[in-house]
Amino acid sequence: MCLGNFLFIGIVLNYLQKTIMNPFYLSGIGIHTGRALLARIEPAEANTGICFWREDVQGQDNKIPAHISNTANSMLCTRIENNEGIGINTIEHFMSAFFAVGIDNVNIYVDGPEMPIMDGSAAPIVEALLKSGQRQQKYPTRYLQILKEISVTGENGAWARIIPSTSLEICLDIDFPDPGIGKQKIDYSFSTSSYIDEISGARTFCMLRDVQNMKHAGLAKGGTLENAVVVDGGKILNDDGLRMQDEFVRHKVLDCIGDLFLTCMPIFGKLEAFKPGHAMTLNLLHTLMADKSSYVIKTNSKDISTIRGFANLPNVAAIPA
Ligand SMILES: [Zn+2]
């Protein structure tokens, strides 16, 4: 094969939808319920998106498509619900990992009301996805391009905005009263390889007094030092300390990427936020989607391969169109 043919095939394949190659399982406890959970991740047809299925629910609709229109109020995590009120909590780290490695369509079957938290990061999910491999599908990936600024405000001076960009950029500032977290800032430009190396391993975090309050309120029953960074009075309570010096703000990037993927599309835009959180990111997305003049949905662009870095991933097999 001459080099010209090779390049042509590479470009054509790069912006088709993808699913996983082989099914796999992930298990662990739920950070809020403390329940043991088993999730089975399976390939899905093109144009079906990311779908969660509650296998413990009988006699009711147990399918919950991951879409911004299905988001529901929840403390401290991202929750989606179907029309019958059947929901699933703590989907954000899975959504983040699916987006990051370029998975458009997948079915996730889980035997409880939230996803397993594992080590509190997306690294175990990314590792399993890379091991599973990927299969190209015959339909092009759609993407959402931001055309104008959309902004929202949150509590305690928090704000977020999204503006046009030729890639996916996430610029965050956090400011926590505990000096163990304090102020951190990141200007991150997404690519699959940088996500795997610099973002996927950043763990969820909380302050000890918040954990105690949450447990009192019946939340965070499964929260331990095995699945979260816990901070108290300027100290990191985990024996091994932090995985990276700015792990807190990197985890916020991980969360934002997961929430942005509730549009079901890669976004070309720059998200900027001060004191970001799930509720504010989801509010920004609702505001964005409600203003049809603020974005355009496109297909057929080799640019998608640029922001996801598809070319770096192993094990991609093609289905002939
Ligand atoms: Zn998180």
Side-chain angles (χ1 to χ4, degrees), residues 76 90 92-93 117 120 202-205 251-252 254-255 278:
L76 307 170
T90 327
E92 56 269 26
H93 302 168
I117 190 72
R203 293 163 294 173
T204 193
F205 60 93
H251 186 78
K252 289 289 187 180
L254 187 162
D255 279 344
H278 294 297

Side-chain angles (χ1 to χ4, degrees), residues 160-176:
R161 68 172 187 157
I162 194 159
I163 58 175
S165 171
T166 54
S167 61
L168 174 60
E169 299 172 82
I170 299 184
C171 302
L172 305 179
D173 278 276
I174 59 171
D175 184 2
F176 282 78

Side-chain angles (χ1 to χ4, degrees), residues 15-19 46-47 104-105 135-137 139-141:
Y15 50 87
L16 293 176
Q17 293 178 30
K18 288 193 295 184
T19 187
N47 296 318
D104 300 280
N105 306 296
R135 190 152 54 84
Q136 299 270 15
Q137 298 174 295
Y139 292 90
T141 298

Side-chain angles (χ1 to χ4, degrees), residues 193-227:
S193 55
S194 69
Y195 178 94
I196 292 171
D197 294 341
E198 301 162 19
I199 302 295
S200 68
R203 293 163 294 173
T204 193
F205 60 93
C206 52
M207 284 170 279
L208 182 64
R209 67 166 185 275
D210 291 340
V211 181
Q212 288 161 342
N213 289 341
M214 284 189 286
K215 288 197 172 173
H216 209 65
L219 294 166
K221 286 180 184 163
T224 71
L225 293 169
E226 303 299 312
N227 54 38

